[in-house]
């Protein structure tokens, strides 16, 4: 079993910055995005770059119940644990592109955008999973991982109904257009035979963006531009207290855990008790 605190411990003990160079020669790290995702997987597994890809895959199968693809969230699911979505950013303040998938406070099994294999990845059926957004900050034109942050969806995104209502209204509005031929789709809409010859289709897709956690929590995160590397994580107290005591004690003893309060994504007037885990090299 693994969890967020295990991954943070492993990164603190092995904070690799030049990720593309670190994974040079392996089959699946041809760019910074690939290398970042691989580094996150390795952090959760507690493995380093001395393993071959074959041995690494064996480790992945022990720790993960699902490994995703670029078209369907999430990027991975910890076995009997949380979902993880990894994103790379070249600027601290740039928005995070989520493409056709709106921000998630939780990963729900009834989400039409996740695959059947994802829904059936565990031995027992699951309805909802906590989701961790992992954002790696890689300054433009460099191969350096300058900063990484982990934020649970329920600290960052509103309930799914907030986003779904907009997508539903757009889809409904398109359906009310007279004289069009619609087909079933996971996108906002797909219209067939738009032109008189009936040879043109229209796909209507949502392209969702969300402000980077490094911007949203800029008054909370410790990001020192002079530091070689920084790590920040935010999670609610009740989630933190569910982790094994040994994992919590390690981070508390090295002094990287702090009590904070954050605005509720569903009601900014309400403050939620949370933990900030912050480390700099």
């Amino acid at each position: 079993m693994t969890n967020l605190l295990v991954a943070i411990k492993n990164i603190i003990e092995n904070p690799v910055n030049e990720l593309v160079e670190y994974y040079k020669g392996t089959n699946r790290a041809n760019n910074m995005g690939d290398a970042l995702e691989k580094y996150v997987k390795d952090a959760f597994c507690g493995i380093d770059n001395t393993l071959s890809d074959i041995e690494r895959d064996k480790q992945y199968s022990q720790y993960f119940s699902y490994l995703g693809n670029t078209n369907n969230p999430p990027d991975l699911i910890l076995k009997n644990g949380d979902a993880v979505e990894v994103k790379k950013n070249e600027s601290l303040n740039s928005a995070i592109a989520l493409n056709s998938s709106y921000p998630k406070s939780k990963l729900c099994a009834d989400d039409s955008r996740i695959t059947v294999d994802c829904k059936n990845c565990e031995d027992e059926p699951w309805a909802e999973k906590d989701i961790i957004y992992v954002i790696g900050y890689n300054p433009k034109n460099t191969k350096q991982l300058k900063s990484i942050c982990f934020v649970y969806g329920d600290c960052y995104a509103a309930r799914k109904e907030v986003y779904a209502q907009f997508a539903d209204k757009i889809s409904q509005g398109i359906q009310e257009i007279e004289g069009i031929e619609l087909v079933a789709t996971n996108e906002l809409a797909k219209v067939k035979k738009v032109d008189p010859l009936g040879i043109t289709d229209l796909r209507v897709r949502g392209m969702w963006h969300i402000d980077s956690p490094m911007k949203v929590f800029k008054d909370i995160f410790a990001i020192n531009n002079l530091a070689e590397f920084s790590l920040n994580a935010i999670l609610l107290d009740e989630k933190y207290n569910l982790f094994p005591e040994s994992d919590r004690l390690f981070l508390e003893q090295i002094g990287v855990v702090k009590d904070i309060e954050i605005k509720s994504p569903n009601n900014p007037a309400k403050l939620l008790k949370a933990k900030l885990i912050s480390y700099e090299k």
Side-chain angles (χ1 to χ4, degrees):
M1 295 285 291
T2 187
N3 59 55
L4 173 63
L5 304 192
V6 169
I8 292 174
K9 174 180 180 290
N10 291 331
I11 290 175
I12 289 174
E13 293 180 339
N14 186 32
V16 177
N17 300 120
E18 300 289 340
L19 291 189
V20 174
E21 294 300 317
Y22 182 68
Y23 287 114
K24 199 170 186 177
T26 61
N27 295 331
R28 294 163 299 170
N30 298 319
N31 57 54
M32 191 63 188
D34 290 341
L36 174 63
E37 185 172 327
K38 195 168 185 179
Y39 182 55
V40 171
K41 292 175 185 175
D42 286 3
F44 278 106
C45 297
I47 58 180
D48 59 32
N49 202 36
T50 59
L51 284 186
S52 67
D53 281 344
I54 293 175
E55 290 300 319
R56 179 177 272 106
D57 286 339
K58 291 179 181 178
Q59 291 288 315
Y60 287 172
S61 69
Q62 291 182 24
Y63 288 97
F64 306 133
S65 60
Y66 176 78
L67 293 175
N69 56 60
T70 56
N71 298 319
N72 303 92
D75 289 317
L76 59 104
I77 294 178
L78 311 182
K79 192 166 286 189
N80 298 313
D82 300 331
V84 180
E85 185 75 7
V86 183
K87 298 291 184 181
K88 180 181 74 71
N89 219 2
E90 293 183 345
S91 168
L92 286 174
N93 293 320
S94 294
I96 305 298
L98 301 176
N99 300 323
S100 60
S101 182
Y102 52 72
K104 293 174 171 45
S105 60
K106 305 281 185 179
L107 181 71
C108 297
D110 61 1
D111 188 335
S112 63
R113 292 170 180 81
I114 68 174
T115 66
V116 172
D117 290 315
C118 179
K119 295 174 184 179
N120 298 324
C121 67
E122 304 280 18
D123 294 333
E124 299 292 334
W126 60 274
E128 183 179 271
K129 285 184 174 290
D130 293 337
I131 185 168
I132 308 167
Y133 284 95
V134 185
I135 314 299
Y137 167 45
N138 159 227
K140 194 172 183 178
N141 299 322
T142 75
K143 297 178 180 179
Q144 183 182 17
L145 178 63
K146 184 74 172 176
S147 180
I148 192 168
C149 70
F150 300 82
V151 179
Y152 270 92
D154 56 6
C155 298
Y156 185 38
R159 294 187 183 93
K160 65 178 181 179
E161 293 82 4
V162 173
Y163 309 104
Q165 64 177 332
F166 289 97
D168 291 343
K169 287 178 180 178
I170 293 170
S171 296
Q172 183 179 351
I174 294 170
Q175 292 171 15
E176 292 173 356
I177 299 173
E178 295 183 0
I180 63 172
E181 180 181 337
L182 291 166
V183 296
T185 178
N186 282 332
E187 298 175 350
L188 294 177
K190 184 174 182 181
V191 185
K192 297 283 286 184
K193 302 177 182 178
V194 171
D195 55 348
L197 290 177
I199 58 175
T200 306
D201 299 341
L202 171 65
R203 295 172 60 189
V204 184
R205 304 182 64 188
M207 297 297 290
W208 296 86
H209 288 75
I210 188 170
D211 281 350
S212 166
M214 296 170 184
K215 179 178 181 180
V216 175
F217 300 106
K218 66 180 186 297
D219 295 329
I220 296 174
F221 278 176
I223 299 178
N224 181 357
N225 289 327
L226 299 178
E228 183 179 341
F229 173 78
S230 63
L231 177 152
N232 288 277
I234 288 181
L235 63 164
L236 296 179
D237 275 4
E238 52 261 41
K239 180 66 177 183
Y240 179 79
N241 292 330
L242 291 175
F243 290 120
E245 184 179 11
S246 58
D247 296 336
R248 288 182 277 127
L249 282 176
F250 172 83
L251 297 178
E252 290 167 9
Q253 287 172 352
I254 63 173
V256 297
V257 182
K258 180 182 179 182
D259 292 320
I260 59 170
E261 291 184 327
I262 61 172
K263 293 179 182 178
S264 165
N266 298 295
N267 178 9
K270 182 180 179 181
L271 296 180
L272 305 176
K273 293 186 180 300
K275 290 288 189 289
L276 169 67
I277 302 172
S278 185
Y279 165 82
E280 285 186 352
K281 177 185 176 184

